[in-house]
Amino acid sequence: MHRSALILLLFVLGSFALVVVTQSSHAVGPTLQPSFQTTALWGSPQAPLLAAPGSTSLPLYVSVTNLGPEELFSVVMRFQASYPLTPIKGVPNNITLRLPALPVGSTVALVGYFNISPSIQPGVYNQTLNVDYILGNETYSQTLNVGVPILGQPKIQLAGFSYNPLRVYPGYPYAELTTVLVNTGTATASSVSVELNMSYPVYPLYNGSES
């Protein structure tokens, strides 16, 4: 009877130890996976730009830092642009960077030129960055989110107007009207088109003089 009890006790203790080792191996594994820090800005770190809805041909600078804990090898990074970003003509949607190694603490950058949809609201828009690398003898892949700031907003207002000559009377043969528009927003207005709509008793001197 004592012998049976001893065998049963050893079996129970052995099962408990097996569970602990299995849980420990799963808990340790993910800590070997590297952490990354991503930063996105328009322009460059030395000369940043404020992007706005409708901006065109702006350089997007995306930096990636390996926070460790391991150095990575045969690294391939692919930045996949999606709405509201579209690459300029001749630039692919995916910007790819290949590196033989990426030590802990090192930072690399991907740069591409993009247009921004004019029909969006200012905000931060998530884009995707895929990172493939070799760690030990295994190949891994991680998908990172990159927040792209589009926070600028142009605002065009009528600042004033003037006539030449300064005074115009009924029946005057012609006069020059000058209007002054000012962008009081926080970003450059692109592809601006201005048209002056006139009505009786004023009409354009020749076609095209009102735009």
Side-chain angles (χ1 to χ4, degrees):
M1 181 176 180
H2 290 289
R3 184 177 180 182
S4 299
L6 180 60
I7 293 174
L8 178 60
L9 179 60
L10 290 175
F11 177 78
V12 172
L13 289 176
S15 299
F16 180 75
L18 178 63
V19 171
V20 171
V21 171
T22 302
Q23 290 178 340
S24 297
S25 64
H26 283 291
V28 172
T31 62
L32 297 177
Q33 297 295 315
S35 297
F36 298 96
Q37 176 180 304
T38 62
T39 303
L41 58 88
W42 295 96
S44 67
Q46 296 75 27
L49 300 174
L50 188 61
S55 295
T56 59
S57 302
L58 287 186
L60 178 62
Y61 179 97
V62 179
S63 66
V64 184
T65 302
N66 178 12
L67 300 180
E70 300 289 342
E71 181 175 3
L72 309 178
F73 298 93
S74 300
V75 180
V76 180
M77 298 183 181
R78 295 182 180 87
F79 177 79
Q80 299 180 335
S82 60
Y83 183 84
L85 305 183
T86 55
I88 64 173
K89 186 177 181 180
V91 175
N93 278 11
N94 297 341
I95 302 175
T96 302
L97 177 64
R98 301 178 185 274
L99 303 166
L102 186 63
V104 176
S106 61
T107 300
V108 295
L110 299 88
V111 179
Y113 284 78
F114 297 93
N115 300 322
I116 302 173
S117 171
S119 59
I120 63 170
Q121 294 297 319
V124 178
Y125 290 83
N126 284 331
Q127 302 291 302
T128 300
L129 178 69
N130 293 325
V131 183
D132 299 326
Y133 55 89
I134 293 178
L135 183 58
N137 295 322
E138 299 291 334
T139 300
Y140 297 90
S141 180
Q142 287 186 235
T143 300
L144 311 177
N145 286 327
V146 180
V148 177
I150 305 175
L151 303 176
Q153 184 68 58
K155 185 178 182 181
I156 299 177
Q157 294 180 319
L158 176 64
F161 60 90
S162 63
Y163 293 102
N164 184 22
L166 295 179
R167 293 186 178 182
V168 180
Y169 302 97
Y172 203 88
Y174 65 89
E176 181 182 82
L177 173 63
T178 301
T179 58
V180 179
L181 302 178
V182 177
N183 181 4
T184 60
T186 57
T188 301
S190 303
S191 302
V192 178
S193 178
V194 180
E195 182 175 349
L196 179 63
N197 295 319
M198 293 179 288
S199 60
Y200 180 84
V202 178
Y203 58 90
L205 184 63
Y206 55 89
N207 292 333
S209 63
E210 72 275 21
S211 60

